[in-house]
Structure formats: C-alpha cells, structure tokens
Amino acid sequence: MSPRRSRLLAPAIAVAAVAALSLAPTATSALTRASVLDRAAGKSTPASCAKPTGQEPDSSQKYELTSGDLERSYVLRLPEGYDRRDDWPLILAFHGRGSTGVEVEGFSELSDLPAVVAYPDGAIGTGSGYRKAWQGAPYEAPGVDDVAFTTDLLAAIEADHCIDTTRVYATGKSNGAGLAALLACQLPDTFAAVAPVAPALYPGARTGCAEAPPTPILEIHGVADATIPYAGDADRDLPAIPEWVQGWAEHNGCTGSTTRTRRDVETTRWTGCDQDAEVQHVAVAGGGHVWPGGDIYSGGGHVTHTIESATVIWDFFSRHRLTSEG
C-alpha cells in the first residue's frame, strides 16, 4: 500500500507494497489478502460497525440526495459481514453515457469485493436521446457540477456508514471513467487511487491535471475499442491511450517500468514514482468498448476472460491508501 495524504487527517499507516499482481484471484482471496496486509501493518482487529443503518449486509439499496439543487440517486452495496467492521473501503463506480448505476453493478462484479460500493446515476445530458451523462464530455448536463456531487455523495455515505476514509477509490467505464480520471485531478486528496476502464478522456475530463499531485492510476482498455479508440481520435480531441498513461507516469515521477503479457492481455506497470503513486496500464488485444472479464453485456466488441476487471482493480486499490503525511 502506498502512503499518501488524507483530506481527513487519518492516522498514518506504513504498509509494505504488494509485489505481484495476480490476474484472476477470487474476491475471497482479496479479502484474505487485505486482512494479511492489515496485520502486517500492525492494525488491530477492527471494531464492529457502530453506525446504525436500515440496510442489511450483503445487499444493495437505492438512495437519493440533493446536490446543486438537483435530486440525485445512487445504489449502495454493503458487503457480507458489513456490521462486523468499522473500517470498510469505499469504491465509487460511475456508469457510461446512457447507462445507470444499476447496470454497472450488474456487469462489473464490483459488488463481490470486500468493500462498500456506490453506483451513482448521472444527470440527463445533451445530444441525441434521453441519456444520463457525467461532467467532462461534450454531452454533459449543462450547469451540473459532478465533482461537487461526488463530494456531497461521499459526505452522505461517510456520515452514515463505517468507511475508512483513507481507502476511498473511484472507477467507472467510458464517460464515467472520464469522470473518475477528472476526480484524480480535482479531488486528489480524497481518492487513494483511481481506475478508469475505457475512459472517454475529452478535454473536460483532463482539467487541472497538470497541477494535480501524484495519484495512483490504473487504466484498462481494449485495443480494438471502436467507441473510444485506443489510438485516440483527433476530431474529438481524444488522446491516444498509451500516450495518456505515459503522461501520468511522467507526471507521477515514475523511474522504471515492466511489461508482461498473458495471452491477449499486456500489463505495463510503472514504479519508483513520487509518493509511491504507481501507474498501471492493461491493454487487451482485440478488446472492444467493454468491461473485460464481464459475463453480462457492457458494450460493443470482444470481451476477454483472461482477466476479471474487478479483481485487477481491487489488487491495484489494495496497494494504496491515504495518510496524514504528504
């Protein structure tokens, strides 16, 4: 895990980094691995959750909140055994344009992880169709501040649930992944790491990134993605994905990299980064605009099962947390 600064000044925790990335362990093994890391860090057994909630463990429930004078909604997943811990990690998962939080929960398998997971819904954007969208794209909802909504969402969840605020993470697909990338730049001391999948990296999703502090980034992308091309799209001002990831590695001050290939998946990892803010890129040969490893439809094109995106993301997130020290 990589120590970084927490916005809530949580106690600093120094933990040795996990050396190897497993491509397809189970969610149960991820839970065991997290417990081992906690013990290695000298953490005591967590207390039971003392914040009452009407939601049962191992369940998903829809909530609403007001943000920016708009009624917004999200689905919240509480893991099995939620009531037995007071320090659960929190993952925000943002849907793509025209999708919903319910759909992301259905195909992503993130709800199988040992974490609280929130699946928010975007506001109705512009362009053809009555489709929900997120800030950072040309079709975003006019006047809607999704960065502020994210802050409001986190405040609502953390007020009523047992969340470890040093382990808050963001992921998403396509337009939602673009928002996750934007949050790395706009709220860097809120998220311990972000993991965009097939991100729509329009200029609006890259605002403020040059000034942002180092942030751990994992990017997953299909090389044959026809919606958000891997090679970029000059007409839409979308960058080539390898160049964008390399740019983050340089921004984070990374000094070394390793690449390995397993069947149709090539994984590059940059290390020796400032504040241990590693960067990782997973490229799927022939992969489409999809959530790799998913068993339910998530977009057009080939879906690899060499990896499970939820597992790769969890392995990455588990190596990073915020601390009170910059």
Side-chain angles (χ1 to χ4, degrees):
M1 295 185 184
S2 302
R4 294 176 59 243
R5 184 160 52 91
S6 171
R7 71 193 190 284
L8 297 181
L9 300 181
I13 302 172
V15 184
V18 178
L21 171 66
S22 174
L23 285 175
T26 64
T28 301
S29 68
L31 175 58
T32 302
R33 184 165 54 250
S35 300
V36 169
L37 287 170
D38 284 346
R39 288 197 296 272
K43 289 189 67 176
S44 60
T45 302
S48 296
C49 181
K51 294 183 178 180
T53 174
Q55 183 175 342
E56 293 294 324
D58 195 21
S59 72
S60 300
Q61 185 170 317
K62 190 169 185 177
Y63 293 85
E64 294 184 350
L65 64 83
T66 301
S67 176
D69 297 326
L70 293 177
E71 290 298 318
R72 307 295 296 267
S73 60
Y74 62 98
V75 172
L76 189 68
R77 173 71 182 186
L78 299 185
E80 182 178 1
Y82 165 78
D83 53 332
R84 297 197 294 270
R85 294 182 66 99
D86 65 355
D87 63 347
W88 288 97
L90 171 63
I91 300 172
L92 302 189
F94 298 95
H95 63 74
R97 184 191 189 193
S99 185
T100 65
V102 170
E103 289 182 354
V104 176
E105 182 177 25
F107 66 67
S108 69
E109 300 182 343
L110 293 169
S111 287
D112 294 335
L113 298 177
V116 174
V117 187
Y119 303 92
D121 289 317
I124 299 300
T126 60
S128 61
Y130 193 69
R131 293 189 281 179
K132 294 179 179 179
W134 299 105
Q135 179 180 346
Y139 42 77
E140 66 185 13
V144 174
D145 187 340
D146 284 320
V147 175
F149 165 61
T150 299
T151 300
D152 293 339
L153 174 63
L154 289 172
I157 295 171
E158 293 169 5
D160 297 329
H161 297 86
C162 293
I163 302 301
D164 180 351
T165 57
T166 73
R167 294 190 291 165
V168 177
Y169 310 98
T171 185
K173 178 180 178 287
S174 194
N175 175 214
L179 176 60
L182 178 63
L183 294 175
C185 303
Q186 297 292 317
L187 301 175
D189 297 326
T190 296
F191 293 97
V194 300
V197 178
L201 298 168
Y202 292 100
R206 309 196 301 267
T207 304
C209 294
E211 298 78 28
T215 300
I217 299 285
L218 161 66
E219 200 276 347
I220 302 175
H221 217 107
V223 176
D225 189 329
T227 303
I228 304 296
Y230 188 74
D233 185 341
D235 291 338
R236 290 186 288 163
D237 204 0
L238 293 172
I241 296 302
E243 294 177 6
W244 181 82
V245 178
Q246 179 66 45
W248 264 106
E250 294 171 358
H251 177 80
N252 288 2
C254 304
T255 59
S257 66
T258 57
T259 299
R260 62 174 181 168
T261 302
R262 180 184 174 190
R263 296 198 289 272
D264 57 342
V265 176
E266 181 180 88
T267 301
T268 301
R269 183 182 174 196
W270 287 264
T271 55
C273 313
D274 296 342
Q275 300 181 38
D276 290 330
E278 68 172 311
V279 176
Q280 188 168 303
H281 175 48
V282 178
V284 180
H289 191 62
V290 299
W291 186 270
D295 296 320
I296 298 174
Y297 179 83
S298 62
H302 171 68
V303 180
T304 184
H305 289 282
T306 299
I307 60 170
E308 299 289 338
S309 291
T311 300
V312 175
I313 288 169
W314 181 247
D315 284 341
F316 186 79
F317 285 169
S318 296
R319 293 200 292 272
H320 301 284
R321 71 169 73 219
L322 298 170
T323 75
S324 59
E325 297 179 352

